[in-house]
Each structure stands twice: as structure tokens, then as C-alpha cells.
Amino acid sequence: MAARPADRILWSRHDSDLAIALTILFLICVFRFPFKKDRKKAEAEKEETGAAGPVDFLKRYPSFVVVLLGCILIFMSHSLINSFNYQIAMAKGGGSGEMGNAMTISAVSELPTMFLFGYLLKKKSSVFWLRLSGLFFVLKSIGTFLAFNIPTYYAVQPFQMFGWALINVACVYYVDGIMEPQDSIKGQAYMAMTITAGNVMSSLFGGWLIDAAGVGAMLICASLAAFIGWLIVCLGSKEAKTA
């Protein structure tokens, strides 16, 4: 039975409150991240060595450039699914309500990973978790493509636990581990830029793909982008000097 207008308003308010609560929890997790390197020492070293330009910086870390390219494709895949979640839900037989439910399941699934990453880091290094996160982007995009109704569409959402949630935390530790202290902040900035680049690419091509060939074709492209990006990250990433 279709939801009445009042029910839709109630759900909209409920989703907004939940989004605010999840955002607050996310910020708490971010501020609780333990950084091992001495930032004051890093700033002193930066003053001694001078600030390197983008070309010099990327030449200093060639393997990191490869990881950045892989992350752009991974985030493109992620953004294709997120930006066109409504169209995907419609293709699976649902609507705006089912889209909201799916996004809620994804968001809630992220919390355990963010809270427990310190424990995970004791078991395996940051490069292991970075590579694993790429695999789960592949699994989620393929699972979304294969989902044939709303229940199976919901069942794919927990892959977010080791996809988006994991890469957000793992990349911070990975960059911090492979770079000199004076370079790690710049490395984090480049990593953040890959998210923007992925969003831009998905915005440019996602709508055109859906109009030209449908949601299924868009999800195939998202799966291919995630798979190629994951392979590139696996090839480019190296064991960090620290966890």
C-alpha cells in the first residue's frame, strides 16, 4: 500500500534525524583516531626541507600516484551507485522509501568498522585493509547489479561495512605510514581529491549512461570501474613503514 503524504513527511523527518545522529557519531570517530607521528616535529622538518611542489611530491612517491588513480575509479563506482540510488531502487521494484531504507542500512553498517578499526589494525596492517576495502566496493557494485528485487537490494547494503567505511579510515593510516611526517598531510589532501574526482566523473557519465542504456548498463560500468580500481590499488600499494 502506498504511503500517505503524512507518512512520507514522518519518514523524511525520521531519516533526517538519523542522518544527523550518524554524522555526529562519524565526527566522534574521526576525532578519536590515534596518530602516532609527532606533528610538531613534522612541521619543523617541513621548514627545514621546504615545501615540495605537486610534481616533486608525486615523483617522491610514485607508487602513491598509482594508488590515487585506483582510488579515483573506486570512488567513481561508489558515487555512481550513491548518486543514482533512486533510479536503482526503481529498477529493483521500489521507490523513494526503499531508497531511504537502503541508505540507512548502508550508513548503520559503517559504524562498527569505524569504532573497531583500532582493533583491526592490530590484526593486519593498513595496506591489507586498504586492499580489502577495494574488494568490497567490487562486491557491492556487482551485488547491486545482480539484485533482482528489493530484499536482495537490501541484502547488498552491509557490504558498505568493509567498503566505504573501511577505505575512509584505512587510507588515513596508509598515507601516514608510507610518507615522511612532513608529507603526510599533503598526501591526505591528494587522497581526498580522489573522492572529488570520482564524484565529478560519475556526474558526467552516470546520467548519460542511464539515459542511453539503462540502470543495468550503469551498474555494469560501476562494477568494472571498481574492479579495475581495486586491481590498480593492489598493484600500487606497498607495505607501510608503520601500521
Side-chain angles (χ1 to χ4, degrees):
M1 183 174 65
R4 293 170 298 176
D7 295 331
R8 292 178 181 174
I9 293 172
L10 180 61
W11 274 104
S12 177
R13 290 174 180 172
H14 172 73
D15 292 342
S16 297
D17 292 341
L18 182 59
I20 292 171
L22 292 175
T23 301
I24 292 172
L25 285 173
F26 173 76
L27 291 174
I28 292 173
C29 292
V30 170
F31 284 116
R32 286 176 59 85
F33 287 164
F35 291 96
K36 297 179 180 179
K37 293 188 176 181
D38 188 341
R39 296 298 180 189
K40 291 183 178 179
K41 182 179 178 181
E43 290 298 327
E45 291 177 356
K46 182 177 180 180
E47 291 179 2
E48 292 175 5
T49 58
V55 176
D56 292 334
F57 177 84
L58 295 175
K59 281 183 178 179
R60 191 182 305 167
Y61 303 102
S63 64
F64 182 62
V65 177
V66 179
V67 172
L68 291 178
L69 294 174
C71 285
I72 289 174
L73 290 175
I74 287 175
F75 291 131
M76 175 184 172
S77 169
H78 175 75
S79 185
L80 279 172
I81 293 175
N82 272 18
S83 298
F84 301 98
N85 232 328
Y86 177 72
Q87 287 81 0
I88 295 171
M90 290 283 288
K92 307 304 179 184
S96 59
E98 287 73 20
M99 177 198 72
N101 292 338
M103 295 182 71
T104 299
I105 295 170
S106 290
V108 172
S109 298
E110 296 174 2
L111 297 178
T113 303
M114 293 181 176
F115 277 116
L116 299 175
F117 188 74
Y119 172 79
L120 296 177
L121 205 57
K122 294 178 182 178
K123 299 299 180 180
K124 295 287 185 178
S125 67
S126 58
V127 68
F128 171 84
W129 299 116
L130 180 66
R131 292 168 179 170
L132 184 68
S133 68
L135 173 60
F136 272 83
F137 278 100
V138 177
L139 294 176
K140 184 177 180 183
S141 55
I142 293 176
T144 303
F145 170 70
L146 295 176
F148 53 88
N149 57 19
I150 290 299
T152 52
Y153 175 54
Y154 287 162
V156 174
Q157 304 310 312
F159 283 121
Q160 193 91 342
M161 180 181 297
F162 289 108
W164 175 255
L166 188 57
I167 200 171
N168 266 302
V169 189
C171 69
V172 173
Y173 285 88
Y174 176 72
V175 171
D176 208 45
I178 65 168
M179 294 187 176
E180 298 300 324
Q182 68 271 20
D183 293 330
S184 60
I185 294 177
K186 186 177 289 186
Q188 300 293 351
Y190 281 114
M191 187 63 75
M193 287 170 61
T194 64
I195 300 176
T196 302
N199 290 340
V200 170
M201 291 175 66
S202 71
S203 298
L204 288 174
F205 299 112
W208 177 82
L209 280 170
I210 292 176
D211 289 340
V215 171
M218 184 273 288
L219 290 174
I220 290 175
C221 291
S223 300
L224 288 173
F227 180 71
I228 296 171
W230 172 53
L231 290 181
I232 292 173
V233 168
C234 288
L235 291 172
S237 57
K238 62 180 183 180
E239 202 63 42
K241 299 174 184 177
T242 64

